[in-house]
Amino acid sequence: MFQDRKNLLYYLGLFSPLIFLVLLILVFSLLHPRFLHPLNIFNVMRQISITGLIALGMTFVIIVRGIDLSVGSLVALCGLVGAVIAKGGLVERFSVGVNTELANPWYWALAGSILIGVVAGSVNGLCITKLKVPAFVVTLGGLSAYRGAALIVSDGGPISGFNEAYRWIGQGKIGMVPIPVIIFLVFIVLCHIILNYTLYGRYIYSVGGNPEAARLSGINTDLIITSTYVITGFFVGLSSFILSARLNSAEAVAGLGYELTVIAAVVVGGTSLFGGTGNILGTIIGAMLFGVLQNGLVLLNVSSYVQQIIIGTILILAVAFDRFSKSTRSV
């Protein structure tokens, strides 16, 4: 009987995000007739792709027992830098239209956004590994610093009005599938392969499971940990560009609350905050769960304040259940 109870808890812990996702879809489809409309489904997928890309990177970070609270602020900074490059410089940043003589191609803006994200991720990782400052403190400081830098770049105002090629990355489609969704799917496959079928992926799980044992076995733990923050920075830069292209605007308030949504998606998807376990497919289910939840609540006219309460509560319950099920299985 006791063993059966342990097995039940194990499978509940393993499949609970997927079960909850299916239940949410059923409930919202019954409560609102437009929920399962193809246009709404693609809208949900497009929305998920923005935070989902960051969640892919956050999965790497959390597996090695890290955390990154700066991703929301970094989204704003990366997006603004890319927007300034697209506009042709700080002088043209507030122009309503596009100055074809000064404007740069969209791929330069994309490269600029990603570069800022990678540099910020490197700084976060090096401060954690070389200066031995806790990840929570480093990224909490980044949350404030990157938002402040974003305000300086934007001078408090939005930068908007990009050319058609720029906007196509966020608004375009191939067939019925939005471009952001296609980009998201490509990186899901890539990250899944890296974590499950490469030596680097095995190193990540080793460092997250037992950092000291990994170090004694010859793994450069500092390099592995830093690299996960660089990966997250890359995805932040990419998602910030897609977000600005989708909205045709970049501003300093972009990405507010993203850190909570992203971390919640990763943790609810089964990646333990205590390191060593997690996978990309679980993260995708977690991201879909919160995307469906937010979309359904909006359709039902639930206050955004209440939505934040629900998301925070689900995050706490997910971590609590993860700890409870693990402690039960260890008995």
Side-chain angles (χ1 to χ4, degrees):
M1 180 66 71
F2 180 69
Q3 187 62 39
D4 291 342
R5 179 172 173 268
K6 287 171 60 178
N7 291 335
L8 177 61
L9 286 172
Y10 172 76
Y11 286 111
L12 281 176
L14 192 62
F15 296 108
S16 57
L18 181 59
I19 294 171
F20 192 33
L21 174 61
V22 172
L23 289 176
L24 277 179
I25 293 174
L26 290 174
V27 169
F28 286 135
S29 62
L30 292 173
L31 293 177
H32 201 288
R34 290 185 56 194
F35 179 77
L36 290 180
H37 192 281
L39 289 177
N40 187 59
I41 296 299
F42 281 118
N43 181 55
V44 172
M45 292 303 298
R46 186 188 291 111
Q47 178 183 348
I48 291 171
S49 65
I50 304 296
T51 53
L53 284 168
I54 306 174
L56 294 178
M58 190 69 76
T59 304
F60 286 78
V61 167
I62 294 181
I63 288 176
V64 297
R65 303 188 180 192
I67 197 77
D68 194 342
L69 302 175
S70 67
V71 292
S73 299
L74 192 55
V75 164
L77 177 59
C78 292
L80 284 165
V81 170
V84 168
I85 293 173
K87 284 286 190 176
L90 290 171
V91 175
E92 291 292 319
R93 60 184 166 171
F94 295 133
S95 60
V96 177
V98 178
N99 188 329
T100 55
E101 295 182 359
L102 296 176
N104 291 303
W106 65 268
Y107 45 83
W108 284 111
L110 172 61
S113 296
I114 291 176
L115 178 61
I116 294 298
V118 167
V119 170
S122 301
V123 171
N124 287 345
L126 291 172
C127 287
I128 292 165
T129 57
K130 300 304 181 183
L131 300 181
K132 306 303 179 183
V133 181
F136 179 87
V137 176
V138 170
T139 58
L140 184 63
L143 182 149
S144 177
Y146 299 144
R147 186 72 66 182
L151 288 166
I152 292 174
V153 172
S154 69
D155 197 24
I159 301 175
S160 56
F162 307 116
N163 59 39
E164 184 178 354
Y166 190 117
R167 298 195 307 272
W168 185 79
I169 303 299
Q171 301 175 4
K173 298 179 180 179
I174 295 180
M176 291 186 63
V177 185
I179 297 301
V181 176
I182 295 174
I183 295 172
F184 184 37
L185 292 174
V186 168
F187 279 105
I188 287 173
V189 174
L190 181 60
C191 289
H192 177 73
I193 292 173
I194 290 173
L195 273 180
N196 292 277
Y197 301 105
T198 68
L199 183 61
Y200 174 69
R202 290 196 291 272
Y203 283 171
I204 287 177
Y205 283 109
S206 297
V207 172
N210 192 326
E212 184 60 20
R215 185 185 66 81
L216 292 174
S217 67
I219 298 175
N220 188 335
T221 56
D222 286 354
L223 179 60
I224 295 298
I225 291 171
T226 301
S227 69
T228 62
Y229 286 91
V230 173
I231 290 171
T232 301
F234 168 84
F235 281 118
V236 169
L238 176 60
S239 64
S240 71
F241 176 81
I242 295 173
L243 178 64
S244 63
R246 178 188 174 190
L247 301 177
N248 194 28
S249 178
E251 52 188 332
V253 296
L256 283 173
Y258 273 24
E259 57 279 344
L260 173 61
T261 302
V262 168
I263 293 171
V266 175
V267 174
V268 169
T271 300
S272 174
L273 283 171
F274 304 95
T277 60
N279 61 80
I280 294 298
L281 297 181
T283 294
I284 303 313
I285 292 174
M288 291 179 63
L289 192 154
F290 282 102
V292 167
L293 179 62
Q294 289 177 325
N295 179 263
L297 292 175
V298 168
L299 289 177
L300 296 176
N301 293 319
V302 176
S303 166
S304 60
Y305 306 136
V306 177
Q307 293 180 36
Q308 292 298 314
I309 294 173
I310 294 173
I311 292 173
T313 302
I314 290 175
L315 176 59
I316 294 171
L317 292 175
V319 176
F321 185 78
D322 175 67
R323 292 299 291 169
F324 175 72
S325 58
K326 283 184 176 180
S327 64
T328 303
R329 292 199 301 271
S330 64
V331 174

